[in-house]
Amino acid sequence: MKKAVLKVASFALCLALAFSFAGCKSSKKDVYNVGICQLVTHGALDKATDGFKQALIDKLGKDKVKFDYQNAANDSNACSTIVNSFVQKKYDLIMANATPALQAAYNATSTIPILGTSVTEYGVALGIENFNGTVGGNVSGTSDLAPLDKQAEMITELFPNAKKVGIVYCSAEPNSMYQVEQVEKFLKAKNIEVKRYSFSDSNDIASVTTTAATNSDVIYIPTDNTAASCTETIGGIVVDKKVPVIAGEASICRGCGVATLSIDYYDLGYKTGEMAAEILTGKKDIKNMKIEYVDAKKQYNKTICEKLGITIPSDYSELGE
């Protein structure tokens, strides 16, 4: 009789424990801790961060996610310090806004999910040969790459008489170099003379832009974080010298360009946040998630176009704030 009672009690205890463990396994966390490392403050990256946060709030609820936002002030070493602190705190997910932030996070952890945004080409950024669109492991994200051949076409469409195009970019940004090579290839095929004008940091940008504007009919600036943070300086020089700029993204165009084929960075960040929600709730495995994109559209800067006397075709939309 005693043995029978013990067996029943033992069975009941095992059953209770089984239900208890099953409940733990299936229950979701009360709060998800998400670290955000943003390279620098400027319009495009700020919008991407805002979109990312809003998507997670929309998908999970305001009380279900806690953000730790850190800005590296355009210092790649600071990116490493920031993401290492996220790793030490064992956050549930890291969002890396811009290429140096992604590279720092990639080197800091192989277990915590990492989503990049405002990254142009992941294969270039992470040194992946024959990149097929999926990073694998604990990394995925969104790309801000607009069709580079279409951007280059804007130069020949708007300025058919241009003979010399100067490309201004930061040599320290690998994704900028990728864009430069692609646009340069397209323009040279059109028998346009192309010259690169690179700067290593913001200290050189005024002198480099002045040289480029003096020797070019048109300037092209790719999606470049350093250039985006110095558009006021660039804009003052190119407008004074009456040289139009075709920009790789909207925030650069807003500050110094006449036109761009660009994505909306808020939409890009929002898509990244939707991906994060799927990862955190277990709906998708990050190792299988392809890099995502958003559509680009033709836009123009009315103010600078008027200053330079440039008429823009009707299929371009006016650039908003």
Side-chain angles (χ1 to χ4, degrees):
M1 183 70 177
K2 233 179 218 183
K3 285 184 180 179
V5 171
L6 284 171
K7 281 182 180 178
V8 171
S10 177
F11 176 76
L13 179 61
C14 288
L15 197 62
L17 286 170
F19 276 116
S20 173
F21 285 128
C24 289
K25 189 174 182 181
S26 62
S27 65
K28 294 185 173 73
K29 293 188 67 170
D30 291 333
V31 177
Y32 297 101
N33 291 296
V34 175
I36 299 173
C37 178
Q38 181 173 316
L39 174 64
V40 65
T41 298
H42 73 66
L45 301 191
D46 294 345
K47 285 185 175 183
T49 291
D50 290 343
F52 174 78
K53 292 167 73 173
Q54 190 59 53
L56 273 175
I57 290 170
D58 289 347
K59 298 296 179 181
L60 303 180
K62 189 174 182 180
D63 298 328
K64 294 286 289 183
V65 58
K66 183 178 179 182
F67 299 105
D68 184 353
Y69 168 84
Q70 301 287 333
N71 191 303
N74 210 21
D75 182 348
S76 57
N77 292 325
C79 287
S80 297
T81 302
I82 290 166
V83 295
N84 281 323
S85 73
F86 294 163
V87 173
Q88 289 172 2
K89 293 171 184 175
K90 298 181 179 178
Y91 282 171
D92 298 298
L93 184 139
I94 295 171
M95 192 276 262
N97 194 346
T99 298
L102 175 69
Q103 292 169 330
Y106 180 75
N107 291 324
T109 178
S110 59
T111 55
I112 297 174
I114 299 166
L115 286 176
T117 195
S118 313
V119 175
T120 304
E121 217 287 329
Y122 282 72
V124 172
L126 300 179
I128 303 171
E129 292 186 9
N130 302 314
F131 181 61
N132 64 3
T134 303
V135 176
N138 65 320
V139 178
S140 188
T142 56
S143 168
D144 59 4
L145 183 64
L148 295 172
D149 58 338
K150 301 297 183 185
Q151 287 189 352
E153 276 180 12
M154 294 174 74
I155 296 173
T156 56
E157 176 189 22
L158 298 177
F159 309 104
N161 297 320
K163 302 297 183 186
K164 297 180 179 180
V165 174
I167 303 183
V168 175
Y169 66 100
C170 180
S171 58
E173 297 190 30
N175 279 310
S176 294
M177 179 60 71
Y178 171 79
Q179 296 168 82
V180 168
E181 290 170 352
Q182 298 304 309
V183 170
E184 183 179 62
K185 188 186 301 181
F186 177 91
L187 293 173
K188 284 185 174 180
K190 299 289 185 181
N191 296 316
I192 294 173
E193 183 182 335
V194 181
K195 187 169 182 179
R196 302 180 185 184
Y197 297 90
S198 65
F199 51 88
S200 57
D201 55 43
S202 58
N203 294 323
D204 302 328
I205 207 160
S207 61
V208 169
T209 302
T210 299
T211 302
T214 301
N215 297 287
S216 307
D217 300 318
V218 181
I219 288 174
Y220 172 76
I221 302 178
T223 301
D224 184 289
N225 292 305
T226 309
S229 65
C230 299
T231 57
E232 186 176 349
T233 299
I234 297 171
I237 294 166
V238 297
V239 169
D240 181 62
K241 291 187 173 291
K242 308 279 186 197
V243 178
V245 170
I246 298 297
E249 55 91 4
S251 71
I252 295 176
C253 187
R254 195 174 285 111
C256 64
V258 297
T260 183
L261 178 69
S262 178
I263 56 98
D264 186 308
Y265 277 80
Y266 183 89
D267 292 345
L268 189 74
Y270 197 93
K271 185 177 283 289
T272 314
E274 291 178 322
M275 295 172 73
E278 291 177 323
I279 293 164
L280 292 171
T281 56
K283 291 180 180 177
K284 287 191 178 179
D285 188 338
I286 191 170
K287 71 180 180 184
N288 301 320
M289 297 176 76
K290 286 184 174 292
I291 301 304
E292 298 274 357
Y293 299 82
V294 295
D295 293 335
K297 59 182 179 180
K298 289 181 175 181
Q299 301 172 86
Y300 73 99
N301 184 327
K302 182 179 179 180
T303 302
I304 293 183
C305 284
E306 288 178 346
K307 286 180 179 178
L308 299 183
I310 295 170
T311 301
I312 298 293
S314 59
D315 60 333
Y316 286 67
S317 60
E318 186 177 341
L319 195 62
E321 292 300 321

